[in-house]
Amino acid sequence: LNRDGVFLPEAGNTVVRHVVPGSTTAAALVDLQGRLKALPWGHRFAYTDVESYHMTVFNGAIETLRAPGHWPEAVPLEAPVDETTGHIAGRLDGFEGPGRFDMRIAEVTPLGLTLTGATEADEKTARAWRDALTGPFTYRGPEHDRYTFHVTMAYVIDWMPDDLIPDYRTALAALTEEFRARLPVVELGPPAFCTFADMNGFPPVMTLPGTGLDPVLRA
């Protein structure tokens, strides 16, 4: 992302749960995006397309992060990203996740939402998915156990002056209270192995079974 808000090439793959198109959640997040843009400092951020909204379940290989712990063991670090995608897709054949899990909003942040399990059991199942996916991906990143689930809605393009920060925190706290009440559960589709050319679109390669949810169709 450059200072003009243009998304730069950043190829990779990942496992995500897309926000269900046409859902109450999707409509609420359109509203939230508009509310964030309308804040006095909203111009300091660039906003992702609503159609790209998703929660990352597991970070895949990414062009600019070629290192052990972030890259499939059997694929050379210099290999094209497309090669890693094909390799991982093959290893995901026959994979089944450990069950359904629902998520709720933990906080509205400058960059979107942080999420947590709707219940303690949901949080444990979400973490179990991450643990299970270390098998086909053949790595476990250093942040694996402390990963924060989230929905990215914006990226910083201009830092905020210190004198704006107290009012900003107050506004975000009010939005957190409102949208947690509006969305007791964030409506997400099943986990899907996806590719991306930049951080503003995540087309699916394959839906992963194990939640009992129907695939989310995306244009």
Side-chain angles (χ1 to χ4, degrees):
L1 190 73
N2 64 23
R3 290 183 64 84
D4 295 324
V6 176
F7 286 83
L8 302 175
E10 184 80 281
N13 50 62
T14 183
V15 174
V16 309
R17 296 184 66 185
H18 284 104
V19 171
V20 176
S23 64
T24 299
T25 296
L29 296 189
V30 169
D31 182 23
L32 177 57
Q33 183 191 70
R35 302 272 289 280
L36 291 171
K37 287 181 176 180
L39 293 171
W41 41 79
H43 63 284
R44 296 179 182 273
F45 298 85
Y47 298 87
T48 58
D49 292 339
V50 173
E51 293 77 15
S52 77
Y53 287 172
H54 67 275
M55 184 195 83
T56 300
V57 179
F58 193 89
N59 293 322
I62 187 169
E63 182 72 52
T64 55
L65 188 55
R66 297 170 176 270
H70 301 278
W71 198 262
E73 290 179 355
V75 180
L77 291 177
E78 67 276 10
V81 167
D82 286 350
E83 184 175 328
T84 74
T85 298
H87 174 78
I88 294 167
R91 291 184 58 84
L92 285 168
D93 186 29
F95 173 88
E96 184 161 350
R100 177 170 177 161
F101 60 98
D102 291 327
M103 306 297 289
R104 63 176 175 82
I105 295 172
E107 187 177 7
V108 176
T109 77
L111 305 182
L113 306 172
T114 58
L115 304 179
T116 190
T119 66
E120 185 176 340
D122 288 317
E123 180 71 12
K124 288 180 178 178
T125 304
R127 300 289 168 182
W129 269 86
R130 286 181 56 78
D131 290 342
L133 286 165
T134 62
F137 280 81
T138 65
Y139 58 83
R140 185 185 184 96
E143 79 297 340
H144 181 88
D145 292 326
R146 60 179 182 273
Y147 184 80
T148 300
F149 294 108
H150 62 278
V151 175
T152 298
M153 301 174 66
Y155 290 91
V156 176
I157 56 175
D158 190 13
W159 294 110
M160 186 175 299
D162 289 346
D163 60 345
L164 291 180
I165 291 176
D167 287 343
Y168 192 33
R169 287 175 173 163
T170 299
L172 292 175
L175 289 171
T176 296
E177 182 176 2
E178 176 183 343
F179 281 85
R180 287 188 67 179
R182 285 177 63 174
L183 296 175
V185 172
V186 177
E187 296 159 288
L188 301 169
F193 180 52
C194 300
T195 60
F196 54 90
D198 58 33
M199 294 298 164
N200 200 31
F202 300 82
V205 175
M206 58 195 299
T207 297
L208 304 182
T211 60
L213 296 169
D214 293 331
V216 175
L217 301 178
R218 306 194 65 80

